[in-house]
Amino acid sequence: MHETTYEPVFTGDRKKQLDQLLPRFPTKRAALLPALWMVQQARGWISDHAMAEVAEVLGLTPAYVKGVVTFYTMYHQHPVGKHFVQVCTTTPCNLCGAEGVVKAFLEHTGCKELGATSPDGKYTVIEVECLGACGFPTPVMIGDDFIENVTPEGVPELLRKYQ
Amino acid sequence: MGYPHQPHLKETVVLSQYFGDAEARTYDGWVKRGGYQALEKALAMEPAQVIEIVKQSGLRGRGGAGFPAGVKWSFMPKEKKKPHYLCCNADESEPGTFKDREIMRWTPHGLIEGCAIAQYAIQAEVTYIYVRGEFTEPLRIMEGALAEAYRHGVLGPNAMGTGKRLDMYLHRGAGAYICGEETALMSSIEGRRGNPRIRPPFPAAYGVFGMPTTINNVETLASVPHIINRGGAWYKSLSLSHPKSTGTKLFSVCGNVKRPGNYEVTMGFPLGELIDELCGGVPDGRTLKACIPGGSSVPILNREESESCKLDYEGCVEQGTMLGSGGLIVFDDSADMVYQIMRLARFYAHESCAQCTQCREGTAWTVRILQRILAGQGEAKDLDLLLDLSEQMTGKTICVLSDSCAAPVVSGIKKFRGEFEAYINGTRRPRPVLVHA
Ligand SMILES: Cc1cc2nc3c(=O)[nH]c(=O)nc-3n(C[C@H](O)[C@H](O)[C@H](O)COP(=O)(O)O)c2cc1C
Ligand code: SF4
Ligand code: FES
């Protein structure tokens, strides 16, 4: 995935914010995960250009940064829909019908399959492993929002809040 | 059940006393409820005295392994030559477990207080609280509480006016179950891929940034202020079955029960009673088939074993399983054990960090065989193949994620063999996997 023009992320306030994190750790490398979060919050995803910028800022190599980005599933290496929907289907939720919730999301968002973005660019739906809220089946994340007790029937109304 | 709600009469509320009480989340509210007195008390003692009280209490790690907390702290060098660190493990990703989330959401200052006491006891200046990336709400609440604690001088260069430095930082994970494993957690804090490391060296000698480090679970640390306030003997007296299992434990109950949620009971509480009375039993018209008492990584219990199981470290071992993190997954007679065990194996295959061949290949192969069986294409010899494979995956890798994948497979085949055979011999209709990862 290539961008034609690249605006650096770490300028002005964001650079200051990152600099304030550095004294928390004895090494610069340790600020990598927070720096990647800052990129994703600013841009929605983490491009190769952004990885190169982070590498430069923290004194690492772009290959090293890519190695770390690819390890963690929450960092997007590609642009995703405006609303990124993650539905837990691990065993405890699965026992309570989580796969029905996934199907409802696919149907009502128009996403053809898991991981694909809907034609209108609004939604990407994925299955996710245990969200740590198994007593509230089915937990769903939409962007940064954490929603408990989602049922297949509740999906259309929920989606109305995410247009 | 979410909070607020009335606790069940058979619960022993210590950690969960203020769950649902929004005012307790604030610094003022916490102090009004007696908060930060334990920290003050601890800071007036010698670190070794604090460790001694925690040792006396019998508190054992609530993250999974059940190692005595005070003993772990005493492994840290007494004479300080290098910086020491405390890591609070708030990665909570073990399927079935959702207790640390409530501790952070409702009693953030209780966790900060527990961390600060532990930090002082092990002579660390810095604590990193490693929170899984998906916990956006707990992260926000903890961030607010930490800012308040700094503002009120609880933390910082002159903590509680004692001249001691206590710093505490949140570190956000980014979606990797394996980062809950203690050495992977340290790798992740250092800005690396979350790969577990070979031990020895142990963290107390060579931990995060190569420095002496202690790692404890959220629930373990949140228990500490209560122990300091009320004494080691009081905590030790909370025990219903075995003297080596003390205190209260939050059990996260989920799956096929009427009232899922967190329940705090004294160690040794009967599992059957927890499900039937506190959780209202399995849904109407259903019967209990199986339980996994300690989060998905421990062997499955059948109905009889579940009904005789005492919920403490020894009681679970007696039934051939483990207490683990206290995530109790309940299966009723409608549950398809083959499908659900496949889904668990898929979890481990997805979460393997892929360093060890047995784990990387073994977890993926386990999933393929189970899916083949579910698709009606299994053969009689597949069950032996699964058992053989599981054996090769147990006790041979850098961390125990590989063993964790094998545990439900081996116990599942042993206890529910008929369900596997029904798919293989065609008496049960194939159930292809509906949704793909
Ligand atoms: C694969 C794996 C995942 C783990 N995940 C967690 C976790 O999410 N939270 C946790 O507290 N401990 C987890 N543990 C256990 C930790 O390695 C460690 O034993 C624990 O945090 C120590 O704290 P305690 O002694 O207070 O229990 C995990 C272990 C393994 C092998
Ligand atoms: S057992 Fe699995 S998760 Fe653990 S270190 Fe080896 S490959 Fe990684
Ligand atoms: S299994 Fe769905 S949140 Fe834990």
Side-chain angles (χ1 to χ4, degrees):
Chain A
M1 197 66 62
H2 286 282
E3 299 154 300
T4 39
T5 53
Y6 181 74
E7 287 272 332
V9 173
F10 294 101
T11 55
D13 281 353
R14 239 181 260 118
K15 176 73 169 69
K16 247 188 258 160
Q17 218 184 317
L18 181 64
D19 287 342
Q20 279 166 3
L21 289 181
L22 295 177
R24 294 184 171 192
F25 313 106
T27 65
K28 255 182 153 180
R29 185 196 303 268
L32 179 52
L33 266 66
L36 293 170
W37 274 121
M38 287 168 73
V39 171
Q40 183 149 308
Q41 258 140 25
R43 298 289 150 84
W45 64 294
I46 303 174
S47 65
D48 284 352
H49 266 130
M51 290 184 217
E53 189 199 346
V54 171
E56 170 86 38
V57 174
L58 295 178
L60 303 164
T61 65
Y64 178 85
V65 173
K66 188 159 194 147
V68 170
V69 170
T70 52
F71 186 86
Y72 296 95
T73 53
M74 289 184 82
Y75 293 135
H76 302 313
Q77 297 163 63
H78 304 283
V80 293
K82 184 174 160 204
H83 302 296
F84 189 67
V85 181
Q86 310 184 59
V87 186
C88 173
T89 60
T90 309
T91 299
C93 290
N94 208 300
L95 283 168
C96 303
E99 289 181 359
V101 177
V102 173
K103 279 193 261 176
F105 270 110
L106 288 177
E107 189 183 316
H108 294 285
T109 55
C111 293
K112 281 199 200 62
E113 54 181 2
L114 289 165
T117 299
S118 58
D120 58 8
K122 271 201 218 159
Y123 305 102
T124 306
V125 180
I126 67 160
E127 260 185 296
V128 71
E129 297 294 348
C130 182
L131 283 172
C134 333
F136 311 97
T138 296
V140 173
M141 283 196 85
I142 304 185
D144 275 346
D145 296 347
F146 198 105
I147 304 144
E148 297 173 351
N149 301 314
V150 179
T151 58
E153 301 73 42
V155 167
E157 195 186 320
L158 185 58
L159 283 173
R160 270 198 286 280
K161 292 188 211 144
Y162 296 91
Q163 284 302 317
Chain B
M1 248 186 317
Y3 294 93
H5 68 253
Q6 277 294 319
H8 191 278
L9 285 173
K10 290 196 172 170
E11 283 187 77
T12 309
V13 285
V14 175
L15 291 166
S16 58
Q17 187 180 357
Y18 299 116
F19 284 7
D21 175 353
E23 201 193 50
R25 278 177 172 168
T26 64
Y27 173 82
D28 289 339
W30 190 245
V31 168
K32 210 159 98 189
R33 286 160 185 74
Y36 289 120
Q37 282 174 12
L39 176 58
E40 204 176 338
K41 211 165 147 185
L43 289 173
M45 297 179 202
E46 286 300 315
Q49 261 177 294
V50 179
I51 296 182
E52 199 46 44
I53 295 172
V54 174
K55 268 191 190 168
Q56 276 169 13
S57 76
L59 172 66
R60 292 167 69 174
R62 305 299 197 225
F67 195 82
V71 177
K72 189 190 271 190
W73 298 0
S74 69
F75 292 156
M76 292 290 278
K78 306 278 166 308
E79 235 180 279
K80 217 178 132 183
K81 299 205 183 81
K82 300 172 181 169
H84 290 186
Y85 290 97
L86 174 70
C87 295
C88 168
N89 193 338
D91 194 52
E92 187 159 74
S93 319
E94 170 90 357
T97 317
F98 48 97
K99 62 192 174 67
D100 298 340
R101 174 169 176 255
E102 299 291 15
I103 293 174
M104 289 188 279
R105 284 168 92 196
W106 295 109
T107 54
H109 286 286
L111 178 58
I112 293 171
E113 189 173 3
C115 288
I117 295 170
Q119 187 175 349
Y120 172 69
I122 63 162
Q123 305 184 63
E125 286 87 6
V126 175
T127 295
Y128 296 113
I129 305 179
Y130 187 96
V131 187
R132 65 176 298 177
E134 293 87 347
F135 277 179
T136 45
E137 191 201 6
L139 273 159
R140 188 166 41 71
I141 293 170
M142 286 300 303
E143 199 173 292
L146 278 170
E148 274 191 310
Y150 268 99
R151 228 176 18 251
H152 287 91
V154 171
L155 301 175
N158 180 21
M160 305 286 280
T162 57
K164 301 211 164 59
R165 179 180 159 215
L166 293 179
D167 276 319
M168 209 174 284
Y169 306 120
L170 284 179
H171 206 70
R172 184 180 182 189
Y177 164 71
I178 193 60
C179 290
E181 194 281 336
E182 57 185 21
T183 58
L185 183 140
M186 299 189 307
S187 302
S188 186
I189 291 176
E190 291 171 5
R192 301 173 193 277
R193 291 165 71 89
N195 287 330
R197 305 173 188 175
I198 295 173
R199 277 148 295 193
F202 289 97
Y206 190 91
V208 71
F209 304 113
M211 300 299 159
T213 303
T214 294
I215 298 120
N216 275 124
N217 169 259
V218 166
E219 188 185 358
T220 314
L221 290 164
S223 303
V224 171
H226 300 281
I227 292 169
I228 298 299
N229 274 330
R230 299 163 81 169
W234 161 78
Y235 198 78
K236 203 175 160 70
S237 74
L238 296 171
S239 177
L240 295 174
S241 178
H242 196 283
K244 282 201 168 148
S245 287
T246 64
T248 61
K249 173 89 191 75
L250 283 167
F251 287 95
S252 308
V253 190
C254 62
N256 303 133
V257 282
K258 276 197 197 151
R259 289 195 295 272
N262 282 294
Y263 295 88
E264 186 173 14
V265 293
T266 304
M267 279 288 186
F269 197 85
L271 195 162
E273 208 170 313
L274 175 60
I275 296 178
D276 289 341
E277 294 187 35
L278 282 64
C279 304
V282 295
D284 289 333
R286 295 279 162 209
T287 52
L288 180 70
K289 185 198 272 190
C291 275
I292 308 185
S296 61
S297 301
V298 308
I300 306 176
L301 299 177
N302 64 23
R303 182 183 174 156
E304 293 71 38
E305 292 161 336
S306 306
E307 281 165 354
S308 357
C309 188
K310 297 257 167 59
L311 285 170
D312 61 14
Y313 300 100
E314 294 74 19
C316 286
V317 169
E318 212 171 283
Q319 299 301 330
T321 186
M322 283 177 288
L323 186 75
S325 56
L328 178 59
I329 310 169
V330 181
F331 301 77
D332 71 21
D333 59 337
S334 71
D336 179 340
M337 297 311 281
V338 185
Y339 193 84
Q340 296 305 341
I341 289 168
M342 178 282 293
R343 189 62 191 79
L344 275 187
R346 212 179 87 188
F347 168 83
Y348 291 106
H350 184 261
E351 301 298 336
S352 166
C353 85
Q355 284 188 101
C356 318
T357 312
Q358 294 93 330
C359 176
R360 182 185 60 242
E361 303 300 326
T363 53
W365 196 11
T366 301
V367 175
R368 283 200 302 275
I369 298 170
L370 287 168
Q371 292 191 339
R372 184 165 80 209
I373 293 173
L374 282 159
Q377 287 151 10
E379 294 172 42
K381 64 179 195 308
D382 279 345
L383 297 185
D384 285 337
L385 180 59
L386 278 170
L387 292 174
D388 186 40
L389 180 57
S390 294
E391 170 137 9
Q392 302 303 322
M393 289 167 65
T394 303
K396 297 183 174 63
T397 49
I398 297 174
C399 85
V400 295
L401 184 140
S402 181
D403 310 53
S404 301
C405 180
V409 173
V410 172
S411 53
I413 293 178
K414 195 165 136 206
K415 294 168 192 177
F416 303 97
R417 198 179 180 100
E419 292 193 37
F420 289 83
E421 285 169 348
Y423 276 114
I424 293 171
N425 65 28
T427 46
R428 185 157 189 171
R429 259 195 302 139
R431 178 169 173 185
V433 184
L434 296 174
V435 208
H436 290 275

